[in-house]
Amino acid sequence: MTLFARKMEKFADPPAPAGKARENKGWWDWGYDYESFVDVSRRVMQRRSRIQQQQVVREVLLSMLPPGAPAQFRKLFPPTKWAAEFNAALTVPFFDWLVGPSEVMEVEINGVKQKSGVHIKKCRYLENSGCVGMCVNMCKIPTQDFFTNEFGLPLTMTPNFEDMSCDMVYGQVPPTFEEDPVSKQACYANICSMAKPSSSVCHKLQA
């Protein structure tokens, strides 16, 4: 979490005065708690368009991988049923720190049933940020794009903004943003610090 936050910090607006002490922390100081991690994400969003936010996440993800990793992933995990199921199984333990408890579920893709779905019971990132735009621009879209286009393994993520759960389906090609229901999602007007209550659609999804 600290490694990811440190990478994101390079693109973030300066922290509030109360957070200045964090600027002097070294790479060895595992001082980022989850609240700080979400705060970095929020500061990355500031003054950036929807596309620019997604590009930052892509660049950060690439910077955390060794050279040639995407090409190697494509060789190891071609878009097969086995690869989709294997990555779903890995997601449960390895993404727990980011999204909270999850479980593998059976899904149907092109008429074929397979255990390549992951049900996130209540997304920790969405719950802590309380922000629709952060969920879509900093997690859903860039993660989908990264797996689909960089790794060559399609991934579709479907957040439920009513109960804050989310379904990830490996092997399923994601819709375009314009065709995705999230593009019409309203803000969490009562809990998001960046919300514009007068807007019928989250303004962070329009810029």
Side-chain angles (χ1 to χ4, degrees), residues 3-205:
L3 174 61
F4 198 91
R6 284 286 183 183
K7 296 276 188 179
M8 294 277 282
E9 194 78 62
K10 293 193 231 178
F11 301 93
D13 274 9
K20 282 186 176 179
R22 186 175 302 282
E23 294 176 11
N24 297 320
K25 289 182 180 290
W27 282 94
W28 59 87
D29 192 333
W30 295 84
Y32 277 87
D33 56 17
Y34 201 84
E35 183 180 349
S36 301
F37 172 73
V38 171
D39 176 65
V40 172
S41 298
R42 186 174 290 110
R43 289 187 282 114
V44 167
M45 292 182 73
Q46 293 172 0
R47 300 184 294 104
R48 282 189 171 88
S49 68
R50 172 174 62 86
I51 299 298
Q52 289 171 334
Q53 293 167 42
Q54 295 165 20
Q55 289 172 336
V56 166
V57 178
R58 177 183 177 276
E59 189 168 336
V60 168
L61 289 173
L62 284 173
S63 73
M64 296 179 70
L65 299 174
Q72 190 63 29
F73 185 97
R74 285 172 177 265
K75 290 179 181 178
L76 292 172
F77 303 108
T80 62
K81 175 184 175 182
W82 176 86
E85 291 184 332
F86 184 78
N87 277 273
L90 285 181
T91 295
V92 173
F94 283 101
F95 282 80
D96 184 81
W97 70 272
L98 178 61
V99 298
S102 61
E103 59 188 4
V104 172
M105 65 178 184
E106 186 176 70
V107 296
E108 186 172 319
I109 301 174
N110 299 324
V112 178
K113 291 185 177 181
Q114 55 191 57
K115 291 187 176 180
S116 66
V118 175
H119 177 68
I120 300 167
K121 299 175 182 180
K122 189 171 186 179
C123 180
R124 188 183 184 193
Y125 191 64
L126 180 57
E127 183 180 20
N128 278 263
S129 67
C131 180
V132 168
M134 195 178 297
C135 162
V136 176
N137 297 335
M138 303 291 288
C139 181
K140 171 184 158 62
I141 299 296
T143 304
Q144 286 182 169
D145 180 72
F146 200 78
F147 272 89
T148 303
N149 298 316
E150 299 294 336
F151 284 165
L153 181 64
L155 169 65
T156 296
M157 298 176 68
T158 306
N160 182 327
F161 293 104
E162 294 295 323
D163 62 8
M164 295 189 175
S165 66
C166 182
D167 290 337
M168 304 175 69
V169 181
Y170 290 93
Q172 181 172 295
V173 177
T176 63
F177 179 74
E178 291 73 20
E179 296 173 332
D180 196 316
V182 300
S183 64
K184 306 293 190 297
Q185 182 64 40
C187 283
Y188 284 130
N190 296 325
I191 59 175
C192 180
S193 61
M194 296 182 287
K196 291 184 178 180
S198 60
S199 177
S200 60
V201 177
C202 174
H203 69 285
K204 287 294 183 180
L205 302 179

